[in-house]
Amino acid sequence: MKVYISATLRGFFGRNSFVEVSGDDIKSILNFLTDEYPDSKKVIFNADGGLNSFIRLYVGDEDRSEPDQWYRKLKPDDEVLLLPSIAGGAPSDNLIPDERRKEVGLDDQEVERFGKHLLLREIGVKGQKRIKASRVVVMGAGALGSPVIQYLAAAGVGTIKVVDDNDVSLEDLQSQVIHSARDVKRPRVASARDTVRNTNRNINFESENERINADNIVSMIDGYDLVIDCTGDHRSRYLINDACALLGIPLVFGAIYQYEGRVGIFNLNGGPCLRCLFPEPPEPGLVPTCAEGGTISPLPGIIGSIAANEALKLIIGIGEHLDGRLLTIDSLYLGSRIVKVKKDRKCPICGADPSIFRVEDFDYEEFCHLKTAEDEIPVEGFTPEELARRIEDKDPMTIIDVREPHERSIMRFPDAIVIPIGQLARRKDELDPDKDTVFVCREGKRSILAINTLREAGYNGPMYNLKGGIEAMKDIMFSHEGAWL
Ligand SMILES: [Zn+2]
C-alpha cells in the first residue's frame, strides 16, 4: 500500500513523495513508517501517542486522524495521505445582496471592458454588478497576492484592499509578478497600487503598509465581504482566520511550498475554519516555511489564480466551490486531490462551546511558539561579527550546519559539519561536549530549535547559535572570501 507524503514532511521520509508500506490499518501503517523512518516519530506523534494536531491523516478524501479510526481495516487500493499544516461545495448564495447590486450600474466602457464576462450565462450583467459592488481584502502582496490582486482588478472587483508591510526585494521578482524591477525597495502596496491603476483606474484601491496584529486586524477587515489569505506564516494565518470567524467574514485560503499548493474556503455559512482543520501550528523549524524551502516560479500563479477564481464564484454565487474542502496540487508530478475538512465541534473559535471571543485576548506569539517559555533556558548566541572573529582567531569550536541539502548548495558554510535538524538527536555522539558547538541555519530560528532538541536528548556540551543565521552573515562571508571561505 502507498502512503503519500506531503512536500513539507518529505525531509523526514528520505525525500520520498510516497512510501510503500505494509499494514492493514492506520495503526500498523504508522508503526511501519516510524520504524522505517525513526526521525518522523517526533513529527507524527504527540506525547500521548496520538497524532500531532498540525497533522491530518486521510484515507481517500476521509479524515481518519482520530485514534478511534486507526483500527478500521483498509483496502489494498486505499490511498493514505499525510497532510501537515503549512495552513460543502454546494452552489451558494452570493455574498453580495441584491440591494447592493442594484446600487451600481455599468457604463458603456465597462460593458465593453467586461464583455467576455457578460457573455457567460452564469455571470452576465447581474454578476458583473455584484463583482463591482464587492469589497475584498487581500492579505499579502507577495507571490500568492500578485495573481490574486491582478485578477481581482482585471475582473472588476470594486474595492480591493491590500495589506502588506514589506518592501519589494530583488528575490521577490522570481515569483511576485505584480512588481517589476523599478519597484525594488519600494513598499509592495505602492507597487501593487500602480499595477492595479494601470489595469483599471476606476477600482477603489485601499492599502495598509502595516504588519497585522491582534490590535489592528479587526479594523482592517471589518465591513468587507471577503478576505483572501496570501500570507506565509502561521501567526498571520491563525490571526486572520480567527478575526474572520469572529466577524463572520468568509476566508479564501491559499498556501504554497516548493512544488505543492493548497486552496480552501473557511468560515462560510458556519462551515469549518482553519482551526477545525489544524488545531495547532507546528513548532517553528520542525516543518520548513516557504521562505526556507523555496518555490517554483509559476506555482503561486496557479494557486493564486484558483484562489481568485473561488473568490469571484463566491461573490457572484455560482458553481461549486471549496467550502469545507481543501484542494492540494502537486505541480512536480501533476497530481491533485480534494479532501474534506470536517467542522470540529470542539473548535475554540467556531465550535459549539468557543473559548476565544476577541483576538486581542489571545496570545498568537505564544500559540505559534514564537516566545521563549519562562522555564526554558535561553539560548546563547554569537552575532555574525563575533563568529567571524572567532573563526579568524582559530578558536577551537565545532560549527554544525542544520540546513536542508538544497539550501546548502546556494551558500556553503565554511568548515561546518552538516547534520540536518531531523537527525541531530540520533547523531549527538558526533559532537564533542568539551568544545563549543555553534549551530547555523538560514535565519537563526532552526538553530535554536536544534539546541533545544539536543538539550532534550540529554546533550550537555556548550552550545551557541548564529544570531540571524547565514542570511545575516552573508555580507561578512563575501568580504572574507579570500581569507577563510
Ligand atoms: Zn473552527
Side-chain angles (χ1 to χ4, degrees):
M1 185 177 292
K2 275 180 183 170
V3 175
Y4 290 86
I5 313 289
S6 183
T8 46
L9 290 182
R10 284 177 199 158
F12 298 95
F13 296 95
R15 311 240 136 253
N16 294 308
S17 59
F18 66 86
V19 177
E20 205 62 70
V21 299
S22 56
D24 57 0
D25 58 17
I26 298 290
K27 179 70 186 161
S28 56
I29 284 178
L30 289 176
N31 287 344
F32 183 97
L33 281 176
T34 49
D35 285 349
E36 285 289 296
Y37 300 96
D39 294 336
S40 69
K41 223 175 222 163
K42 181 169 178 178
V43 80
I44 292 181
F45 293 118
N46 62 29
D48 306 325
L51 217 52
N52 258 328
S53 54
F54 59 86
I55 297 230
R56 300 271 94 188
L57 196 149
Y58 287 90
V59 176
D61 67 357
E62 211 180 302
D63 189 336
R64 298 255 187 103
S65 309
E66 296 307 317
D68 59 359
Q69 301 283 319
W70 288 5
Y71 296 97
R72 278 173 64 183
K73 283 275 168 288
L74 297 171
K75 295 192 274 320
D77 57 346
D78 273 340
E79 283 188 347
V80 182
L81 170 71
L82 267 186
L83 186 81
S85 170
I86 354 179
S92 67
D93 294 337
N94 59 74
L95 292 182
I96 312 300
D98 282 345
E99 309 83 73
R100 279 179 51 200
R101 166 177 60 86
K102 287 176 186 157
E103 280 168 16
V104 301
L106 300 178
D107 62 25
D108 289 352
Q109 224 193 32
E110 286 170 316
V111 169
E112 188 179 341
R113 178 188 279 268
F114 301 115
K116 290 199 182 66
H117 269 170
L118 306 185
L119 283 173
L120 294 171
R121 187 170 54 87
E122 295 82 359
I123 302 182
V125 172
K126 276 189 184 172
Q128 191 62 45
K129 285 185 176 175
R130 287 201 169 104
I131 298 174
K132 187 176 176 180
S134 67
R135 297 159 53 77
V136 179
V137 183
V138 182
M139 287 289 176
L144 271 175
S146 289
V148 168
I149 297 162
Q150 282 175 290
Y151 276 116
L152 294 184
V157 168
T159 298
I160 301 174
K161 179 192 259 190
V162 177
V163 181
D164 194 308
D165 69 327
N166 289 295
D167 290 346
V168 178
S169 69
L170 190 59
E171 73 174 312
D172 290 346
L173 301 184
Q174 175 258 8
S175 58
Q176 304 185 12
V177 294
I178 202 167
H179 315 298
S180 42
R182 61 163 197 274
D183 297 316
V184 170
K185 296 198 170 127
R186 292 181 71 208
R188 284 186 187 166
V189 288
S191 160
R193 179 198 57 217
D194 291 353
T195 307
V196 166
R197 292 243 165 98
N198 282 336
T199 303
N200 185 350
R201 295 201 82 77
N202 293 330
I203 284 168
N204 177 26
F205 183 91
E206 302 171 357
S207 64
E208 309 259 10
N209 187 4
E210 223 180 303
R211 183 174 149 85
I212 56 166
N213 59 47
D215 294 321
N216 64 19
I217 180 86
V218 169
S219 65
M220 280 182 185
I221 65 174
D222 197 9
Y224 292 79
D225 301 307
L226 180 70
V227 173
I228 307 181
D229 179 1
C230 300
T231 62
D233 65 280
H234 292 290
R235 178 189 156 279
S236 304
R237 291 201 183 281
Y238 282 94
L239 188 56
I240 293 167
N241 174 75
D242 294 357
C244 283
L246 292 170
L247 291 167
I249 303 173
L251 173 65
V252 176
F253 167 96
I256 46 171
Y257 176 75
Q258 293 190 340
Y259 301 94
E260 191 180 291
R262 295 172 192 174
V263 188
I265 297 173
F266 294 126
N267 187 39
L268 181 67
N269 301 327
C273 77
L274 173 64
R275 283 182 190 261
C276 293
L277 177 62
F278 295 119
E280 278 175 27
E283 248 179 79
L286 198 53
V287 177
T289 65
C290 173
E292 292 157 357
T295 184
I296 190 165
S297 164
L299 179 68
I302 299 169
I303 298 301
S305 299
I306 295 175
N309 201 52
E310 290 301 299
L312 288 173
K313 289 184 331 196
L314 284 176
I315 289 165
I316 310 163
I318 55 170
E320 290 195 357
H321 48 64
L322 287 168
D323 179 27
R325 299 187 296 169
L326 190 72
L327 166 71
T328 68
I329 293 182
D330 181 334
S331 73
L332 191 56
Y333 298 104
L334 292 175
S336 73
R337 64 181 77 226
I338 293 180
V339 294
K340 284 184 192 144
V341 179
K342 272 197 297 193
K343 177 128 178 144
D344 179 2
R345 265 184 285 152
K346 283 183 268 165
C347 175
I349 199 109
C350 77
D353 184 21
S355 56
I356 303 170
F357 302 98
R358 283 160 35 100
V359 285
E360 294 93 325
D361 299 338
F362 189 81
D363 192 335
Y364 289 87
E365 313 284 329
E366 193 185 317
F367 179 61
C368 295
H369 316 284
L370 300 173
K371 272 189 184 164
T372 329
E374 272 166 28
D375 57 345
E376 207 167 88
I377 311 153
V379 168
E380 284 182 70
F382 296 127
T383 62
E385 292 76 19
E386 286 165 346
L387 183 58
R389 207 174 312 126
R390 292 196 60 159
I391 292 173
E392 277 179 6
D393 295 349
K394 301 206 165 39
D395 275 357
M397 62 177 167
T398 315
I399 299 175
I400 307 280
D401 185 346
V402 298
R403 292 175 302 161
E404 299 293 317
H406 65 268
E407 299 178 78
R408 286 195 299 275
S409 59
I410 303 171
M411 192 182 297
R412 214 175 50 83
F413 199 92
D415 298 328
I417 298 172
V418 166
I419 307 182
I421 197 156
Q423 301 173 9
L424 264 177
R426 186 156 45 84
R427 293 174 58 182
K428 65 174 191 293
D429 293 344
E430 294 174 35
L431 307 182
D432 180 355
D434 296 328
K435 255 205 262 175
D436 286 353
T437 305
V438 185
F439 293 85
V440 301
C441 67
R442 184 179 190 266
E443 291 178 320
K445 287 181 201 144
R446 270 176 295 168
S447 51
I448 293 177
L449 184 75
I451 292 172
N452 287 327
T453 304
L454 280 168
R455 277 180 183 160
E456 236 172 78
Y459 179 78
N460 292 321
M463 298 188 280
Y464 304 87
N465 82 315
L466 168 60
K467 289 179 186 169
I470 290 167
E471 229 6 74
M473 195 153 175
K474 238 173 11 190
D475 293 343
I476 297 184
M477 287 169 74
F478 284 134
S479 64
H480 281 67
E481 196 164 9
W484 48 269
L485 254 191

